[in-house]
Amino acid sequence: MSSSSYFDARKRNYGAHYNEDESIIKDIEDIRNDPKMIDALSLGYRPLTQYINQKRVNRNESVINHKRVLRVMKQNGLLSSAYSRKTNKYNSFAGEGHKRHKNHIRQRFITDRPYQKLGTDVTEVRWGKQTTDERLFISLFCDFYSGEIVSYSISLHPTTKFVLESLYPVMELAKGVPYLTTIHSDQGIQYQSNKYQMILCRSNIRQSMSRKGTPYDNSPTESLIHKMKIGTVLNHNYATQAELVVAIKEWIYYYNHERIRQSNNWETPIGFRESYTSKNA
């Protein structure tokens, strides 16, 4: 070892470094054990870094880099494994011969204004013994601008009427914007129905559809649904339908009002939209 390396090592306080690692581990455990953090197990090292730094600032400590949090999580087996869990996906494909629409989004999900590009999908969640008699269907619409869930409906049956219940609030939101709104979906039977397409046409909303068997064409919506399942049915067992409904509603409220996102400059979905509104008022 060179003399410069030796004296440099003597000046560095490596004991304090390891003590800080213990502090980081404790902060991660506190965040994950916080009952207000509904989906804490699914948080990656980047959002965890934001929450940890909030705690450190409150303690008058210096902030840390996300790379350090990643290293500590790797060394101590704290990396999230929630996204490796899989669940059955509801398939509503209507088959060939139905009226389909062009893919206007073409995986260009980024937009600089709310309610310009929205995605929608239907998924199923189960309670009790997880049988087909114990399942609910959720139709939701999310805004690609902020990731906000702008509307949703819950039903025991995946009918077109059930999807329209979640569409009507979106139509009201689209009336107030001076630009074209595009709603993207898969080729599900509800989205190919004459009633659904007629309502979009009368509301001057452009309909867009994914290519057959290409979930990546609607990946923001698919990703959001997976996050919802991680925060609910993949990590909890619900004995009754009522418990499951309450859990879904609580998670959606938490996601919109509390869950920070890197793509939103670490703001919540609703906070990011409101920031846009205040800047352009």
Side-chain angles (χ1 to χ4, degrees):
M1 177 187 291
S2 67
S3 60
S4 60
S5 298
Y6 171 76
F7 287 107
D8 179 68
R10 287 189 61 180
K11 287 189 290 185
R12 294 179 183 271
N13 189 353
Y14 287 105
H17 173 77
Y18 289 115
N19 289 337
E20 279 206 1
D21 284 357
E22 292 297 325
S23 174
I24 294 171
I25 294 172
K26 185 178 184 306
D27 284 340
I28 292 174
E29 291 175 347
D30 289 343
I31 292 168
R32 288 183 168 175
N33 292 328
D34 187 347
K36 295 180 181 179
M37 300 292 292
I38 295 179
D39 64 345
L41 292 176
S42 68
L43 293 176
Y45 67 94
R46 292 181 185 274
L48 273 175
T49 302
Q50 302 299 313
Y51 289 119
I52 291 171
N53 282 333
Q54 288 177 9
K55 290 178 173 290
R56 294 178 69 87
V57 168
N58 293 335
R59 297 194 297 257
N60 295 320
E61 298 175 359
S62 60
V63 298
I64 56 176
N65 190 277
H66 66 274
K67 294 180 181 179
R68 186 171 183 181
V69 175
L70 176 60
R71 175 183 61 78
V72 171
M73 293 178 71
K74 282 183 176 179
Q75 291 176 348
N76 294 275
L78 296 173
L79 290 174
S80 174
S81 60
Y83 287 93
S84 62
R85 302 176 185 177
K86 296 183 179 179
T87 183
N88 294 330
K89 186 180 184 301
Y90 167 69
N91 185 0
S92 60
F93 179 62
E96 302 294 342
H98 292 261
K99 186 176 181 181
R100 298 187 297 273
H101 282 261
K102 180 180 178 181
N103 183 352
H104 295 285
I105 299 294
R106 292 183 292 171
Q107 299 188 12
R108 297 172 299 181
F109 306 118
I110 298 176
T111 175
D112 62 350
R113 61 201 65 187
Y115 311 137
Q116 183 182 50
K117 298 178 182 180
L118 296 96
T120 183
D121 203 356
V122 174
T123 190
E124 69 172 59
V125 289
R126 303 190 182 190
W127 75 88
K129 296 181 180 179
Q130 311 291 309
T131 66
T132 55
D133 294 328
E134 298 169 305
R135 61 178 176 176
L136 287 173
F137 295 91
I138 305 170
S139 168
L140 60 80
F141 288 79
C142 69
D143 188 356
F144 291 165
Y145 171 71
S146 62
E148 178 185 356
I149 299 175
V150 296
S151 178
Y152 69 95
S153 58
I154 302 174
S155 175
L156 289 170
H157 306 286
T159 61
T160 300
K161 180 182 178 182
F162 140 76
V163 172
L164 293 178
E165 289 175 0
S166 55
L167 173 63
Y168 292 136
V170 178
M171 292 166 51
E172 293 301 316
L173 294 173
K175 287 181 181 179
V177 297
Y179 40 80
L180 179 65
T181 296
T182 300
I183 295 181
H184 186 82
S185 69
D186 58 20
Q187 296 183 23
I189 190 170
Q190 300 93 340
Y191 309 119
Q192 294 190 37
S193 69
N194 291 331
K195 190 169 185 179
Y196 179 88
Q197 295 185 1
M198 187 183 303
I199 289 175
L200 289 186
C201 182
R202 290 177 177 175
S203 302
N204 294 321
I205 297 175
R206 182 170 64 177
Q207 186 173 5
S208 174
M209 281 188 172
S210 301
R211 294 164 293 175
K212 179 182 176 182
T214 313
Y216 298 105
D217 285 346
N218 198 13
S219 57
T221 313
E222 299 280 354
S223 176
L224 177 55
I225 286 174
H226 191 49
K227 288 179 182 177
M228 179 179 65
K229 289 185 175 182
I230 288 171
T232 54
V233 293
L234 291 184
N235 289 296
H236 304 277
N237 293 320
Y238 301 100
T240 65
Q241 175 187 338
E243 288 181 9
L244 178 55
V245 170
V246 170
I248 292 295
K249 291 181 177 180
E250 287 181 346
W251 186 91
I252 291 176
Y253 180 87
Y254 160 80
Y255 173 81
N256 279 339
H257 293 83
E258 303 292 339
R259 183 68 151 83
I260 58 175
R261 303 175 76 237
Q262 184 179 12
S263 57
N264 290 350
N265 296 325
W266 299 116
E267 291 188 69
T268 64
I270 287 182
F272 192 63
R273 170 176 57 79
E274 290 177 345
S275 296
Y276 173 90
T277 304
S278 62
K279 290 177 183 177
N280 295 272

